[in-house]
Amino acid sequence: MQTDIQWVEKFVDDLGKENFLDHYSLEDNIYRICLKQYILFLYLPNTARLQDDSTHKTIHLDIDMLKSSYAKILQRIKGLMGRGRRIYARTTVPARIDKKVVLAFLEEYHLNVPLAGKYRYGLFHQGELVSVAVFSGGRVMRDEMDGYRSFELLRFCHKADYLVVGGVSKLIKTFIKDFKPNDIMTYADRDWSQHSSLESIGFKETGMTEQQTFYVKDGKRLAPQIEAQGYDYEIKNKGSIKLKLYL
């Protein structure tokens, strides 16, 4: 079994092979990994989140996630660095997809727990599924006008090695055409970004969530809704940005 340090060494080596790595250092059990466009803090057990770097976009990553989702994390960094097959949303076809398809896609490509939601859409490029978006059912907002419905964008991701330019915008526009929501809200993980790219398509930041606590046992993260007992250590993330698209 690889130790934590061996996982870090492999990670740094792979970042170097992709020509992403500038340099890295270790202090107080936290790796500061300087990439071409980002600062990545990699946390070993029993460490606390640092402040975001004031001059660079910042990523906060825990060693348990690196070990459990290594390929997904490396692919996400490749995407952030602009590495991948670039296709344009105008060359894709949107369509509703079923629960089984979306769960399999999210399991393979998304870092978080797969969610089927209520409404599921995909983008197809030459018959191949390259992006998915999952939405909740409508919620009646009692403090708004009669009939006001709010939906949540629960999950969105591309297939590995693809950069689908305008993909999320096309999926959201397709959903809006079908269901005519009054607003769509979502969350952006502050461990991965300090500002959401969704703001470029009209989403507005409406607040921040508190830090979320996770428990790790035998190197594996426990489900957050479980009251942990006998865990080895806990992690507190940076929380999330709450965003809303008003229509």
Side-chain angles (χ1 to χ4, degrees), residues 216-234:
V216 179
K217 174 71 173 177
D218 298 327
K220 296 181 179 180
R221 190 168 297 198
L222 305 177
Q225 68 271 23
I226 295 175
E227 184 177 351
Q229 295 182 351
Y231 60 90
D232 297 326
Y233 65 97
E234 68 177 37

Side-chain angles (χ1 to χ4, degrees), residues 230-246:
Y231 60 90
D232 297 326
Y233 65 97
E234 68 177 37
I235 294 166
K236 290 185 180 294
N237 69 6
K238 297 287 282 186
S240 297
I241 306 168
K242 185 176 181 179
L243 300 134
K244 189 171 286 191
L245 178 65
Y246 294 95

Side-chain angles (χ1 to χ4, degrees), residues 50-87:
L50 298 177
Q51 293 296 315
D52 295 328
D53 188 271
S54 61
T55 58
H56 293 79
K57 296 176 182 178
T58 308
I59 299 168
H60 302 269
L61 178 63
D62 297 290
I63 189 65
D64 70 298
M65 285 296 293
L66 182 69
K67 292 160 65 175
S68 65
S69 303
Y70 187 90
K72 294 179 185 179
I73 287 168
L74 198 57
Q75 286 294 339
R76 183 162 184 179
I77 292 172
K78 287 180 181 181
L80 291 173
M81 301 294 282
R83 185 74 57 82
R85 180 185 173 189
R86 189 177 297 269
I87 60 176

Side-chain angles (χ1 to χ4, degrees), residues 76-234:
R76 183 162 184 179
I77 292 172
K78 287 180 181 181
L80 291 173
M81 301 294 282
R83 185 74 57 82
R85 180 185 173 189
R86 189 177 297 269
I87 60 176
Y88 293 89
R90 65 176 179 268
T91 69
T92 65
V93 177
R96 298 281 292 272
I97 55 178
D98 66 27
K99 179 178 179 179
K100 182 177 179 180
V101 169
V102 81
L103 288 177
F105 193 95
L106 292 172
E107 180 67 40
E108 186 167 0
Y109 302 118
H110 202 286
L111 275 174
N112 293 337
V113 175
L115 296 175
K118 186 168 184 179
Y119 305 111
R120 300 163 288 273
Y121 288 79
L123 290 181
F124 291 83
H125 181 257
Q126 298 177 352
E128 180 181 12
L129 182 61
V130 294
S131 297
V132 301
V134 177
F135 298 87
S136 71
R139 300 182 180 95
V140 176
M141 310 301 287
R142 300 190 185 281
D143 55 346
E144 299 287 351
M145 63 183 182
D146 289 345
Y148 190 105
R149 293 191 307 161
S150 176
F151 293 76
E152 182 177 349
L153 172 62
L154 297 169
R155 292 287 186 269
F156 168 76
C157 74
H158 299 311
K159 186 173 183 177
D161 295 320
Y162 279 84
L163 299 174
V164 185
V165 180
V168 67
S169 179
K170 186 165 186 173
L171 286 165
I172 289 172
K173 286 177 180 177
T174 303
F175 176 78
I176 291 170
K177 182 180 177 181
D178 287 349
F179 291 97
K180 299 176 177 55
N182 295 101
D183 72 56
I184 299 173
M185 59 84 62
T186 193
Y187 296 93
D189 186 351
R190 292 184 64 219
D191 274 350
W192 282 88
S193 62
Q194 291 72 61
H195 301 282
S196 174
S197 60
L198 291 173
E199 293 181 50
S200 67
I201 61 170
F203 279 79
K204 305 295 183 184
E205 183 180 315
T206 61
M208 302 281 183
T209 68
E210 297 292 329
Q211 289 181 293
Q212 189 174 8
T213 302
F214 299 92
Y215 301 95
V216 179
K217 174 71 173 177
D218 298 327
K220 296 181 179 180
R221 190 168 297 198
L222 305 177
Q225 68 271 23
I226 295 175
E227 184 177 351
Q229 295 182 351
Y231 60 90
D232 297 326
Y233 65 97
E234 68 177 37

